Amino acid sequence: MRDDKIPAFSLTEQVAALRPELEDAWHRVLDSGQYILGPEVEAFEQEVQSLLGVPAVGVANGSDALLLALQALHVGPGDEVVTTPFTFFATAGSISRLGAVPVFADVNPDTFNVDPDQALARVTPRTRAILPVHLFGLMADTLRLVEGFAGPVVEDAAQAILASQGGRWAGTVGDVGCFSLYPTKNLGAFGDGGFITSRRPELGEAVRRLRAHGATAKYYHVELGMNSRLDALQAALLRVKLRHLRAWTERRVALADRYRAGFAACGLQEAVRPQVVPAGFAAVYHQFTVRADRRDALLEWLAAHGVGATVYYPHPLHLLPAFAHLGYREGSLPAAEQLCREALSLPLYPELRFEQVDRVVDIIAAFYRGPA
Ligand SMILES: Cc1ncc(COP(=O)(O)O)c(C=O)c1O
């Protein structure tokens, strides 16, 4: 075994490279005396708008972005929201937190995203919204959902900044886009952060109100909201990172291409099947995730060889204790359940080197070759 480990993810080199710019931003905020919302957050929102072409509203984290977007659409008790079971908990948790019912539709086994036909088939008169997730940086087929459903589509774009479908950015196709700025995300803060995007001005305004306890003026509250504000410090540091996001995204795509070429060259197409990016979609590889034969044994093998791989996600949401009351059973959503047994995310972050990708591929090839 070699002692130069390959971590699943690392920020060390990125922070070192940006250190002078980050320190400038940090000092600017320290000296400003304004630490929550204010000019830095407004500038960040403007810069996101310039990037994505739609207005943005900063909030405290991606989970709140989902909650506030759904609240802005008046999702509440008695409503149903159709979503995917193969995602992070917050997606469906936000629906339940508002007293509504998450209705899970199965995923496409190749794209790992909600199957649009199955999602549309779950629509009933009680369906208030559809909430697709752009998993691992690949957009769900949002254009098809928007065409097929008359109500609002809320995009969980937590993992998908700069991903696109049909030339349209994630977060701009549906009614609202919800983004996370968690430190490991493609655009990551130095703590929690999030934002929403919306073409509909009234929804952006509603989230602006709701993030400040439903206030329209100081101490004048027109509805129940919460405290979900973005810190000025996070916004200032994010503005530094935002300038590099396109280049980092290109690098992620190049690294993913390198993995794919490596697997093909080693004849591993059967054993290791990467997430499929359909024609017309551009993925941003928040994760490089494959379906792997004998996944758990491969995971142990990689760990033993110093490679940090990760399982996103080991449990489908419909089988978690938190959603037991919804009545799903093992076998209810077979494609998602199988993905939970097979999916494995390999190291990918912009500072990773091609040579490290090649080494991961070699280690995987050795696993499937078996004992010499
Ligand atoms: C798909 C998805 N939705 C929602 C969230 C919630 O974001 P946050 O951790 O910023 O609350 C995350 C990230 O953790 C996520 O990956």
Side-chain angles (χ1 to χ4, degrees):
M1 202 219 308
R2 307 172 60 145
D3 54 6
D4 43 348
K5 293 196 160 108
I6 303 176
F9 177 76
S10 168
L11 283 169
T12 315
E13 282 177 62
Q14 191 175 97
V15 170
L18 297 180
R19 193 167 200 105
E21 291 172 80
L22 292 171
E23 285 182 352
D24 282 352
W26 164 266
H27 289 299
R28 193 171 70 234
V29 175
L30 280 191
D31 293 342
S32 75
Q34 170 131 24
Y35 305 123
I36 294 175
L37 298 178
E40 290 290 347
V41 172
E42 282 161 26
F44 173 69
E45 291 172 345
Q46 278 302 321
E47 287 164 16
V48 170
Q49 176 166 358
S50 305
L51 185 70
L52 299 180
V54 290
V57 181
V59 297
N61 54 66
S63 305
D64 284 2
L66 288 163
L67 188 83
L68 295 175
L70 293 170
Q71 197 183 343
L73 288 163
H74 307 293
V75 170
D79 293 333
E80 295 177 354
V81 178
V82 178
T83 192
T84 171
F86 190 53
T87 176
F88 180 60
F89 182 78
T91 309
S94 62
I95 300 167
S96 289
R97 288 275 310 276
L98 291 168
V101 178
V103 173
F104 295 114
D106 211 352
V107 297
N108 176 306
D110 297 323
T111 65
F112 310 169
N113 282 321
V114 75
D115 177 312
D117 293 325
Q118 298 201 48
L120 293 170
R122 305 300 301 271
V123 169
T124 73
R126 287 183 302 281
T127 306
R128 187 73 183 196
I130 300 184
L131 206 182
V133 178
H134 306 325
L135 203 67
F136 308 140
L138 170 66
M139 279 183 75
D141 190 346
T142 314
L143 288 172
R144 170 99 180 75
L145 294 173
V146 167
E147 271 165 28
F149 178 59
V153 172
V154 178
E155 299 175 56
D156 183 339
Q159 306 182 358
I161 191 164
L162 290 186
S164 63
Q165 177 183 12
R168 294 171 65 181
W169 299 123
T172 72
V173 178
D175 295 74
V176 195
C178 303
F179 292 81
S180 167
L181 299 164
Y182 183 77
T184 60
K185 294 293 193 277
N186 290 22
L187 178 65
F190 293 78
D192 276 312
F195 64 91
I196 66 101
T197 49
S198 185
R199 291 176 276 107
R200 293 173 52 184
E202 78 280 12
L203 292 180
E205 278 318 304
V207 171
R208 231 172 248 292
R209 227 173 24 245
L210 291 167
R211 74 178 176 184
H213 285 298
T216 49
K218 206 166 184 187
Y219 305 127
Y220 190 76
H221 303 266
V222 296
E223 61 185 325
L224 278 181
M226 61 199 271
N227 172 5
S228 183
R229 302 170 300 209
L230 184 62
D231 287 346
L233 188 56
Q234 297 303 345
L237 298 171
L238 284 159
R239 292 177 65 202
V240 172
K241 286 189 149 195
L242 201 49
R243 296 199 276 273
H244 302 270
L245 186 62
R246 276 180 189 271
W248 288 337
T249 303
E250 282 168 23
R251 177 70 187 162
R252 284 176 182 274
V253 172
L255 289 161
D257 289 345
R258 186 85 174 190
Y259 270 119
R260 284 179 206 278
F263 292 137
C266 296
L268 286 172
Q269 299 93 318
E270 294 293 307
V272 178
R273 299 172 302 282
Q275 185 179 27
V276 172
V277 180
F281 289 74
V284 294
Y285 297 98
H286 173 56
Q287 301 291 341
F288 184 79
T289 305
V290 302
R291 300 177 59 175
D293 289 351
R294 294 187 284 133
R295 192 265 317 268
D296 293 338
L298 174 61
L299 183 62
E300 274 181 36
W301 173 267
L302 287 167
H305 289 78
V307 176
T310 315
V311 173
Y312 300 108
Y313 295 91
H315 307 288
L317 298 190
H318 64 285
L319 298 181
L320 286 175
F323 292 122
H325 61 283
L326 298 177
Y328 292 85
R329 296 274 171 272
E330 187 102 34
S332 300
L333 300 163
E337 292 165 27
Q338 192 168 345
L339 273 171
C340 291
R341 292 188 291 269
E342 293 183 349
L344 188 64
S345 299
L346 300 174
L348 196 153
Y349 50 95
E351 295 73 25
L352 192 70
R353 297 187 301 279
F354 282 152
E355 169 270 312
Q356 291 175 300
V357 171
D358 297 344
R359 194 138 49 84
V360 175
V361 172
D362 286 347
I363 292 167
I364 293 174
F367 172 79
Y368 287 110
R369 266 199 310 274

